[in-house]
Amino acid sequence: MLWAAAGVTTLAFLIALEFAARGYGEPGPIAIETRELIFAPHSGPLLYAGLALTMVVLTWRQRLVAAGAAIGIDVLFLLVRWAVGADLHFGNGALWVVVGCVVLALTRRTGAERALLLKGAGLGLLLVMGHRAGDTWLLITSQTRPTVLDPYVVTADHALGDPSWLVGRIVEATDPVSGHVLGLVYGQLPLAAALVGLYQLRHVADRRRFPAHHLVRTFLVIGLLGPAIYMIFPVVGPVYAYGAEGGAWAAADVWPDSLPVIGAPHPIPFDEITPRNCMPSLHTAWATTLLVHSREGSRFMRYAGLFWFVATLTATLGFGYHYGVDLVAGVVFALTIEAGMRGAALGWDRSCTWLVAHGTTVFAVLLVSYRYLPQQMAAHPWLFGPLLLLLMSGVVLHYVRTTKRWRSRTAPAREPRAQPAGLEPEPA
């Protein structure tokens, strides 16, 4: 029943986004994904990641058949595109197989088998559709928010030492090596999340059920709720507001060479194309949840999660997409959502409620401070810089302590150790 309600809610949300995008003369997430059944996909790796998530509910024989069918369909599409001289993109086959699993579940499966197959296919489609829905959200932010608050954020960022300008100069000095590596990490974050999700869901086919909580759930909810904050606090980022990427709309072309000169912060007009997608940094939020969930995996996964987290934060700053205060807000936002999702899955208690309330309060305080106290923050960096980090660290520490209690509560009880023969305890 819960899965059905979630499915209906998600479908209604996607339909609403479709109508909103159509109102601005652009296709929405449903139309884009429908086109990718035939036309060249935007992201082949993302589509195959969705297929991989779907296959967690299949047996090994069924997985081989599904993978073979996807590759075979893609080969046919590539041959046709090669023959007509079109771009050789791939991924159609993966989408065809996921949709085929939905049709198979509805027409050839019943009961628990149908429900499990629909859950797997729905998870794969959600990963793909969530990405498309995010693109539509970004279009809406650029069309409905004619002014941006970058002068407030860049002023507040002085409290942290303007890390985007510092890291931006480092990346420029080490380009093209750093640019290629960081660009790959930044662009394939959904694929990394799918890999960690696959590790967490590797026993679904054997146990015939999904775990109560896993990374993909939090990943999707962050992508759903984050753009709503964009509407409240529209920011385009230093490379656009103060760099060459902003073109004629940029307040100055100084990033990352020198800091802009700003008097009293005020909203500035910006174009109707650039997304207002900085506050909070959702890439930081996603990388944070990736780090959190990878800690529960193998040693290789823990190191990979840490690398992806550090590289993502470096890319967000080094490419000029975010200010330092965006990242602080992103970490708090991620841990608050993660706490809420764990509580919903494992059961709410006082510690979970306090953690969500703590994270929500700190996140609100950060946004209010960036908007109404930026000049004070810039004038007293020795006070506000450590204070920002202290607020974020408090949420991190609270989360760590709470998750330890969750693990101790949900850990299976150990079997009593067998006593060697002849050493049975005497009856009291």
Side-chain angles (χ1 to χ4, degrees):
M1 192 67 179
L2 181 61
W3 279 86
V8 171
T9 303
T10 302
L11 180 60
F13 174 72
L14 292 174
I15 292 174
L17 284 182
E18 185 72 30
F19 277 104
R22 294 286 180 174
Y24 295 111
E26 297 290 338
I30 298 176
I32 292 175
E33 215 51 53
T34 302
R35 284 175 54 87
E36 289 191 344
L37 286 169
I38 302 298
F39 297 99
H42 289 81
S43 176
L46 181 65
L47 290 172
Y48 270 92
L51 173 61
L53 285 177
T54 299
M55 291 195 298
V56 298
V57 302
L58 305 179
T59 64
W60 278 107
R61 179 179 176 277
Q62 292 169 336
R63 291 170 186 172
L64 292 176
V65 172
I71 294 173
I73 294 172
D74 261 332
V75 169
L76 291 177
F77 272 92
L78 287 172
L79 289 176
V80 172
R81 290 186 180 119
W82 176 75
V84 299
D87 293 334
L88 300 181
H89 295 283
F90 70 96
N92 303 86
L95 185 57
W96 272 97
V97 172
V98 174
V99 174
C101 287
V102 175
V103 175
L104 180 65
L106 295 175
T107 59
R108 303 294 297 274
R109 296 289 186 270
T110 58
E113 290 292 326
R114 170 186 287 180
L116 188 65
L117 186 54
L118 284 176
K119 289 176 183 178
L123 194 63
L125 287 174
L126 273 177
L127 180 70
V128 177
M129 294 296 289
H131 189 74
R132 304 294 176 241
D135 293 341
T136 303
W137 260 119
L138 298 183
L139 169 68
I140 294 173
T141 64
S142 64
Q143 294 288 327
T144 61
R145 294 296 179 267
T147 61
V148 296
L149 303 179
D150 284 76
Y152 295 90
V153 181
V154 72
T155 303
D157 209 39
H158 293 336
L160 296 177
D162 306 292
S164 180
W165 269 257
L166 173 62
V167 180
R169 288 195 289 269
I170 294 174
V171 170
E172 273 196 350
T174 56
D175 201 45
V177 176
S178 61
H180 288 309
V181 174
L182 296 178
L184 178 64
V185 170
Y186 191 85
Q188 297 303 326
L189 185 57
L191 179 60
L195 293 177
V196 175
L198 286 174
Y199 179 84
Q200 294 179 323
L201 302 174
R202 64 192 183 280
H203 297 308
V204 169
D206 298 328
R207 298 172 181 172
R208 313 309 294 167
R209 63 180 177 85
F210 280 83
H213 180 58
H214 52 84
L215 169 65
V216 181
R217 298 170 73 246
T218 305
F219 201 87
L220 293 172
V221 172
I222 286 176
L224 174 66
L225 298 181
I229 311 300
Y230 295 162
M231 303 291 287
I232 300 172
F233 208 114
V235 180
V236 292
V239 74
Y240 296 102
Y242 302 105
E245 296 295 326
W249 292 93
D253 185 5
V254 295
W255 185 90
D257 300 316
S258 60
L259 293 173
V261 178
I262 299 177
H266 59 280
I268 58 175
F270 217 80
D271 61 31
E272 298 180 353
I273 300 174
T274 306
R276 280 65 163 152
N277 62 339
C278 284
M279 183 62 69
S281 168
L282 291 197
H283 268 79
T284 299
W286 284 321
T288 301
T289 58
L290 184 70
L291 175 66
V292 167
H293 284 266
S294 66
R295 306 309 297 171
E296 302 171 1
S298 63
R299 177 179 296 181
F300 171 78
M301 182 166 292
R302 292 196 298 270
Y303 284 131
L306 179 60
F307 164 77
W308 219 274
F309 175 76
V310 174
T312 299
L313 266 60
T314 304
T316 58
L317 294 172
F319 293 155
Y321 296 149
H322 288 282
Y323 305 93
V325 292
D326 301 344
L327 275 61
V328 173
V331 171
V332 174
F333 184 75
L335 295 181
T336 305
I337 298 297
E338 172 67 14
M341 297 302 294
R342 282 185 182 264
L346 305 177
W348 287 90
D349 58 12
R350 181 178 298 179
S351 62
C352 180
T353 303
W354 276 111
L355 175 56
V356 173
H358 181 194
T360 303
T361 302
V362 170
F363 184 72
V365 168
L366 291 176
L367 294 189
V368 171
S369 300
Y370 300 161
R371 178 62 175 82
Y372 296 105
L373 298 174
Q375 289 179 294
Q376 291 82 349
M377 296 173 68
H380 306 285
W382 55 269
L383 172 62
F384 284 95
L387 184 58
L388 289 177
L389 299 179
L390 183 63
L391 288 172
M392 180 187 70
S393 301
V395 175
V396 172
L397 182 60
H398 194 170
Y399 177 84
V400 171
R401 289 179 174 175
T402 303
T403 50
K404 285 182 179 179
R405 286 194 288 268
W406 278 333
R407 291 192 185 101
S408 63
R409 190 177 73 241
T410 58
R414 291 187 176 182
E415 294 288 338
R417 181 177 297 179
Q419 294 287 344
L423 295 179
E424 289 83 359
E426 294 182 2

